Amino acid sequence: FAGLAVRSVVQPLSSLIRSVRRVRTANPAAALPPFGNNEVGELGRAIDQWRSRVADAMSETEEHQHALRAEAFCETRHALAI
């Protein structure tokens, strides 16, 4: 019984860990697969929500940096023209 209980926790957690590592190294924007309606599934959904918020924040930051660079370029051209 104890071995079955350990496997029922360890195997899904190991699968979640592999999925998180795969997303981290291959495609941070990719969603994690579903992991069921148990505690491991809830943990997977929480990690995926966090991953999504981080990806959104990174995208927003990149857009802001692009806008700042464009503004700096225009200001530099304007200053050189004076």
Side-chain angles (χ1 to χ4, degrees), residues 12-64:
L13 279 175
S14 294
S15 180
L16 176 59
I17 290 167
R18 281 192 306 275
S19 293
V20 168
R21 286 180 178 154
R22 189 171 28 256
V23 166
R24 180 187 68 194
T25 58
N27 184 3
L32 291 174
F35 284 92
N37 292 322
N38 56 18
E39 291 83 357
V40 174
E42 187 175 337
L43 178 60
R45 286 187 295 279
I47 291 170
D48 197 51
Q49 290 170 353
W50 174 80
R51 178 215 46 83
S52 178
R53 287 194 304 269
V54 168
D56 290 346
M58 288 176 64
S59 177
E60 187 176 311
T61 299
E62 289 172 4
E63 290 172 11
H64 186 67

